[in-house]
Amino acid sequence: MSAAPAYSEDKGGSAGPGEPEYGHDPASGGIFSSDYKRHDDLKEMLDTNKDSLKLEAMKRIVAMIARGKNASDLFPAVVKNVACKNIEVKKLVYVYLVRYAEEQQDLALLSISTFQRGLKDPNQLIRASALRVLSSIRVPIIVPIMMLAIKEAASDMSPYVRKTAAHAIPKLYSLDSDQKDQLIEVIEKLLADKTTLVAGSVVMAFEEVCPERIDLIHKNYRKLCNLLIDVEEWGQVVIISMLTRYARTQFLSPTQNESLLEENAEKAFYGSEEDEAKGAGSEETAAAAAPSRKPYVMDPDHRLLLRNTKPLLQSRSAAVVMAVAQLYFHLAPKAEVGVIAKALVRLLRSHSEVQYVVLQNVATMSIKRRGMFEPYLKSFYIRSTDPTQIKILKLEVLTNLANETNIPTVLREFQTYIRSMDKDFVAATIQAIGRCATNIGRVRDTCLNGLVQLLSNRDELVVAESVVVIKKLLQMQPAQHGEIIKHLAKLTDNIQVPMARASILWLIGEYCEHVPRIAPDVLRKMAKSFTAEEDIVKLQVINLAAKLYLTNSKQTKLLTQYVLSLAKYDQNYDIRDRARFTRQLIVPSEQGGALSRHAKKLFLAPKPAPVLESSFKDRDHFQLGSLSHLLNAKATGYQELPDWPEEAPDPSVRNVEVPEWTKCSNREKRKEKEKPFYSDSEGESGPTESADSDPESESESDSKSSSESGSGESSSESDNEDQDEDEEKGRGSESEQSEEDGKRKTKKKVPERKGEASSSDEGSDSSSSSSESEMTSESEEEQLEPASWSRKTPPSSKSAPATKEISLLDLEDFTPPSVQPVSPPAIVSTSLAADLEGLTLTDSTLVPSLLSPVSGVGRQELLHRVAGEGLAVDYTFSRQPFSGDPHMVSVHIHFSNSSDTPIKGLHVGTPKLPAGISIQEFPEIESLAPGESATAVMGINFCDSTQAANFQLCTQTRQFYVSIQPPVGELMAPVFMSENEFKKEQGLQGGH
C-alpha cells in the first residue's frame, strides 16, 4: 500500500488499532501526487474513525472534482459520511453529493432521511447544502419531499437558506411541472422578502416558472427598484431584464406623443436614414394629428426605474452595464438614451469576448440612435492587434456613424485598413466603402474612383471584392460610367475569383448598349473557357449570350448557339435547365413563338439598384443583450419584448397598504438618522437628463444592524413604511407636475396620492444575512411639516444649500455653478425666481425688474494660453437671447493676452457647422495689448440640439480651432407668468 503524508492532527503519532498506517513520503508530489489519488486509499481514509483523515480525504476528492477528474465511484464511501459529526467534513460531503447526486440517484435515495435531518441543522450552511443536494436528486418519487423542504426553507430565518430555496424552485419545476401552482405560492412569498441576498434568486425563479404572472411583481416593483443597487451583480442582471419587460407592459412609450417639431429638430442628432427619407406628406399628416394628442407625462414609477438603474452604468461588471444599457435603449426618452454611450465605450477596453458582445449591441443601437455615438467615433478606430471579428464589428459601427460631416475622416481610416494583411477584414472594408458611397451621395464618385484604383492591386481577393462593390454602385448611374465597364471587361483575363468574374459578366450583359464592341468579344473568350468555369460563372455566360442575341444577333447568333449547346450537356442540372429554357425563350419556334415575343421584356427589363444595408438592421426586434440578439435567431427560452400599451394600465396596482399601527411607531427616530450613503442626486447632472427627473420615488436606506436570522426586520420595516408614507405625501404628485409644466402648484395634488403612501415601502428595506439597510433623504425633516409651511419658507432661511453629487458619467458635461452669497435685499437670480414662482400661493407675478441674468456662471475654457501662444479665451452663457436674433443663445467670449506682444485682428474664421447650426460673429478686435482683457458677444443658434459649434478664432498670424458645446439647460429661456396665466395658456393646448 502506498504511503500517505502525516497530517497536522497526528504529527508524530502512530495509527490507532485497526487503522492503516500513513507515513510521509518526501519524494511524493503532495496531495495531488498520482500515488495519493488512488481511490482505494481514499476509501480507506473515509472508513476510518478519525475526522482528520476523513477531512483530508474529502479535500482530495473535491480537489479532483475541481480539476475535472471523475470521482463518481467514490459515491458509496462518501455518502456514508453524510451523518458525520464534524461540520467541515459534512460541508465537503454535501459539495460532493451536489455534484454526483443526479448520476447516482439510487444510492442518494438511501440517504434521504439524513438530508431531511440536515434541513433542521442549526448551521445555516448545512441546511442550505442539504436542500441543494435534495433538489439535485432527479427522481419524481421524492417530489413531495422536495416541495415540503422548499416551503420550509422559504420561511427560514436565514436569508442564505431562503436564497437556496429560490434556486431549488426551477429544479423542481423542470422535474415536475404539475407543481407550478404550489411553486408560484412560494415565489410570491419570496418576492416579498426584503433582503438583497434573496431578490436576484427569486426573480430568476419567477422568470423560469411563471414569467407571465406580472401581477406578482406589482406590489414588489418599487421594492425591487430600490434594492437593485445593493443586489449582487448576477441578480442585478436578472432583475433589470425582468423589469425591462415589466415596464414595457405597464407604462406608456416616452416617445409616442412627441410633437413633430421635436422629432424634426432631433433628426440630425438621433435620427436614422429612414427617418430622414420620409416625405413631406407624412409630416403634414403628423402635424395635423399632433394637436389631438395628450401631452406625455412620465409615470413616477417609470422614472424610479430609470433613476435607480443609472448609477449601475458605473458597475465593474460588463453584464450589468450591458443590462442597464438595453433598459435605457428600450425604455428611456430619446433625450436620455445618450447617457449609456460613454459606459458602453468604456467596455471596449475590456477583453475581446466582452468587446464582441458590446460591439454587436452598439452596431444595432447606432442604426437608430446614431447621434449618441458620434462623439466617440475615434473609440471605434481599429487596432492592428484586434481579432478579425472585432475589426469587422468596429467597421460596421464606423459605417453606421458615417455622415456628411465626418465622412472624410472615415474614408481616410478605410484607406489605411485596405493595406491590412487580414484579407477578410480588407474585403469587409471594401464593402463598407460601398455602403458609404450608397448612403452619402456626395462621396459616391470619390469612392467609385478609389475602388477602380484598387483594381490594379496585386491581391486578387481585393480586386474581386472591389469588382463586386463597383457592380452595385454602377447600377445607380450606369450611363455615366461606360469607361469603368470597359475597364472591368479587360479584367476577365486576369481575375479568377468566380464571384468577381460573374459580376463583370452581369454588368456587361446588363449594360451591353454602353459597350457594343467589347461585349461580343468577351462572350467569345468566355465561350472558349466555358467548360472550365465555375457554375455561377456559367450561368452568367448564358445570360450574357441571351442578352447579346436579343440586342446584337448578327455578331453573336452563332456564339450564343455554341454556348447553349455546351450548356445543354453540362453535368449540373441547373445549367442544363437554364440553357434549355433560354433556347426556347430567345429562339423563335412553332411551339414557343408566343413566349419568344416577350423575351426582351424578361431579359432586358430595368432592374432597381441594390440597397446596401447593414446586417444589423433587423436585429432590433430582439431584446438587446440577449443571446437571441447575438445569434440573430430566437434561442430556446427567449421571451419577446412586449409592445408598449396604447393606454396606461392602472398605476394603483403598485401601491402597498401600510398598517395603521406602523405609521406612528418610529417618527422620532427619523430625525436621528444620518445622511444616506447613496445619494439620490448621484449621476443626475448629465446633459442628457430631461426636465422630468424629479425625486419622486427616491430610494431610502440607512444601515441598521440585525442578527443573522433576520430579527428586527419588523421594526425596520415599519420605520421604512413610515418614511415612505410621508415622502409620498410630500412629493408624490410633484414629480408628475414637473413632468407636465414644472411650475404648477403642488399643494392641490398632495391629497390625491395618500393612498400610495407606502408605494416604495417594500423596496426601501434591503439586508443580507447579517444586516438590513434603509435609506432616507435629507429633505424628510422638512416634509414632516405641513406642505403650506414649507412652501412659504423663503430660500434664505435654509441653513446651507444641498451639494449636488456628480456622476462619473457626466463629468465632461457638468459645470459646477459658482454660488455667491445673496443678501436679503439683493436681486434674485432667474432660476431661483422660477422656482419661487411655482411655490407662491398668490396669483401675482414676480416683477421682471427684480430679475437679472446670472452673468459669469460656469465660465469655461475655450482656448488655453499655452495652446493659444499667450492668448487665453474663456466663454460664458449669459442666459439671455442674443440681441441680433432671438433664436440665438448669447455667448460672452473673454479674451486675455498673457504674452509680451500685442495680438491683432481677433475675429471668427469661416465656420464649418452641422446642418441647422448658425453663428453670428462678434466684431473684430483690432488689437489686444499685453496684459489686457476684452469681452465680445456672439450669438449661436444650436438648433435645439447639444451638438458642438465648431469654428476658428483667427489672428493676423494664427488660426485656432475651438468648439462650444452647450449643456441642455443653456438652451432654454425662462418665461414668467402667474398661475392663472399659465392655466389659461395650458387650456389653449390640445388634449385638455
Side-chain angles (χ1 to χ4, degrees), residues 258-276:
E258 289 182 348
S259 67
L260 183 65
L261 293 176
E262 289 175 345
E263 290 174 1
N264 289 341
E266 291 180 356
K267 269 181 185 176
F269 192 68
Y270 291 109
S272 63
E273 295 157 11
E274 291 184 355
D275 296 332
E276 296 170 359

Side-chain angles (χ1 to χ4, degrees), residues 269-465:
F269 192 68
Y270 291 109
S272 63
E273 295 157 11
E274 291 184 355
D275 296 332
E276 296 170 359
K278 288 182 180 178
S282 62
E283 295 177 359
E284 294 174 0
T285 304
S292 63
R293 295 174 179 170
K294 295 181 180 179
Y296 172 74
V297 179
M298 180 175 285
D299 191 290
D301 290 326
H302 191 173
R303 171 58 59 193
L304 173 68
L305 176 60
L306 295 178
R307 169 186 285 106
N308 286 13
T309 53
K310 184 178 178 182
L312 296 179
L313 288 173
Q314 305 174 45
S315 173
R316 64 181 180 180
S317 170
V320 174
V321 176
M322 191 65 248
V324 178
Q326 65 85 23
L327 180 140
Y328 262 74
F329 184 81
H330 291 303
L331 302 181
K334 283 185 178 180
E336 298 184 40
V337 179
V339 74
I340 67 177
K342 187 181 295 184
L344 292 176
V345 169
R346 173 173 64 87
L347 297 182
L348 296 181
R349 303 185 183 95
S350 188
H351 302 293
S352 59
E353 295 83 0
V354 175
Q355 291 185 49
Y356 180 77
V357 176
V358 172
L359 286 170
Q360 289 263 5
N361 289 273
V362 170
T364 301
M365 294 179 187
S366 60
I367 295 176
K368 285 195 171 183
R369 305 285 173 85
R370 181 176 59 194
M372 69 181 184
F373 291 105
E374 284 180 358
Y376 307 100
L377 182 71
K378 293 184 178 180
S379 298
F380 300 101
Y381 284 177
I382 294 163
R383 300 180 178 89
S384 59
T385 56
D386 287 335
T388 301
Q389 291 302 320
I390 300 297
K391 290 179 180 178
I392 293 176
L393 286 173
K394 285 186 175 180
L395 199 63
E396 179 74 26
V397 175
L398 287 174
T399 308
N400 292 342
L401 298 182
N403 55 34
E404 293 192 357
T405 304
N406 58 30
I407 189 62
T409 306
V410 173
L411 288 180
R412 280 197 298 270
E413 279 291 309
F414 289 173
Q415 191 175 2
T416 305
Y417 301 159
I418 289 174
R419 295 194 288 267
S420 172
M421 299 300 294
D422 188 341
K423 302 308 174 189
D424 293 335
F425 172 53
V426 172
T429 303
I430 295 173
Q431 294 175 6
I433 293 174
R435 278 183 55 198
C436 290
T438 303
N439 300 334
I440 305 173
R442 73 181 183 89
V443 297
R444 186 171 299 156
D445 292 339
T446 304
C447 294
L448 194 56
N449 293 334
L451 292 172
V452 171
Q453 292 178 7
L454 290 178
L455 296 177
S456 58
N457 194 290
R458 296 180 181 179
D459 193 325
E460 186 179 2
L461 292 176
V462 174
V463 175
E465 197 65 40

Side-chain angles (χ1 to χ4, degrees), residues 357-646:
V357 176
V358 172
L359 286 170
Q360 289 263 5
N361 289 273
V362 170
T364 301
M365 294 179 187
S366 60
I367 295 176
K368 285 195 171 183
R369 305 285 173 85
R370 181 176 59 194
M372 69 181 184
F373 291 105
E374 284 180 358
Y376 307 100
L377 182 71
K378 293 184 178 180
S379 298
F380 300 101
Y381 284 177
I382 294 163
R383 300 180 178 89
S384 59
T385 56
D386 287 335
T388 301
Q389 291 302 320
I390 300 297
K391 290 179 180 178
I392 293 176
L393 286 173
K394 285 186 175 180
L395 199 63
E396 179 74 26
V397 175
L398 287 174
T399 308
N400 292 342
L401 298 182
N403 55 34
E404 293 192 357
T405 304
N406 58 30
I407 189 62
T409 306
V410 173
L411 288 180
R412 280 197 298 270
E413 279 291 309
F414 289 173
Q415 191 175 2
T416 305
Y417 301 159
I418 289 174
R419 295 194 288 267
S420 172
M421 299 300 294
D422 188 341
K423 302 308 174 189
D424 293 335
F425 172 53
V426 172
T429 303
I430 295 173
Q431 294 175 6
I433 293 174
R435 278 183 55 198
C436 290
T438 303
N439 300 334
I440 305 173
R442 73 181 183 89
V443 297
R444 186 171 299 156
D445 292 339
T446 304
C447 294
L448 194 56
N449 293 334
L451 292 172
V452 171
Q453 292 178 7
L454 290 178
L455 296 177
S456 58
N457 194 290
R458 296 180 181 179
D459 193 325
E460 186 179 2
L461 292 176
V462 174
V463 175
E465 197 65 40
S466 301
V467 168
V468 174
V469 175
I470 288 173
K471 169 217 167 188
K472 295 176 181 178
L473 295 180
L474 288 181
Q475 287 183 255
M476 300 178 182
Q477 297 173 327
Q480 302 178 12
H481 302 293
E483 292 299 322
I484 296 178
I485 296 176
K486 293 178 183 178
H487 183 65
L488 292 175
K490 297 175 182 178
L491 295 176
T492 52
D493 295 334
N494 302 324
I495 296 180
Q496 300 302 322
V497 177
M499 180 58 71
R501 292 173 69 84
S503 299
I504 294 174
L505 294 175
W506 186 92
L507 271 177
I508 295 173
E510 187 68 17
Y511 307 111
C512 54
E513 67 274 8
H514 298 294
V515 285
R517 297 182 179 180
I518 297 178
D521 192 50
V522 171
L523 180 60
R524 178 182 57 81
K525 291 181 179 179
M526 299 307 298
K528 289 182 180 180
S529 59
F530 183 84
T531 56
E533 298 289 347
E534 294 289 337
D535 291 345
I536 188 174
V537 180
K538 290 179 180 179
L539 292 174
Q540 292 303 325
V541 171
I542 295 173
N543 286 344
L544 175 62
K547 292 176 182 178
L548 290 178
Y549 181 87
L550 295 173
T551 58
N552 189 4
S553 60
K554 292 182 180 180
Q555 289 183 298
T556 59
K557 182 176 181 180
L558 295 177
L559 275 174
T560 301
Q561 293 177 352
Y562 176 70
V563 169
L564 292 178
S565 63
L566 290 176
K568 185 177 180 180
Y569 300 101
D570 194 88
Q571 296 179 354
N572 190 317
Y573 65 88
D574 289 334
I575 297 173
R576 295 198 302 269
D577 293 346
R578 178 72 65 88
R580 294 190 182 102
F581 170 75
T582 303
R583 180 185 293 277
Q584 293 296 323
L585 192 60
I586 65 175
V587 179
S589 62
E590 295 180 359
Q591 294 84 3
L595 195 59
S596 62
R597 288 197 298 269
H598 303 286
K600 285 191 176 182
K601 293 182 180 180
L602 294 174
F603 279 100
L604 302 178
K607 301 173 180 63
V611 179
L612 301 180
E613 295 181 338
S614 170
S615 59
F616 290 84
K617 180 176 177 58
D618 298 326
R619 288 200 186 188
D620 57 348
H621 63 276
F622 291 116
Q623 185 173 352
L624 294 183
S626 63
L627 178 61
S628 298
H629 176 270
L630 189 71
L631 302 176
N632 197 24
K634 189 172 180 178
T636 304
Y638 173 74
Q639 298 177 36
E640 296 285 350
L641 194 64
D643 294 328
W644 293 101
E646 294 294 333

Side-chain angles (χ1 to χ4, degrees), residues 405 911-919 948-951:
T405 304
K912 296 182 179 179
L913 301 170
I917 296 182
S918 59
I919 286 180
N950 304 310
F951 58 93

Side-chain angles (χ1 to χ4, degrees), residues 70 103 109 166 213 231 314 339 365 545 663 751 765 825 866 896:
N70 184 15
E103 298 179 11
L109 286 173
R213 289 289 305 274
V231 178
Q314 305 174 45
V339 74
M365 294 179 187
K663 294 183 179 179
D765 225 0
V866 176
S896 178

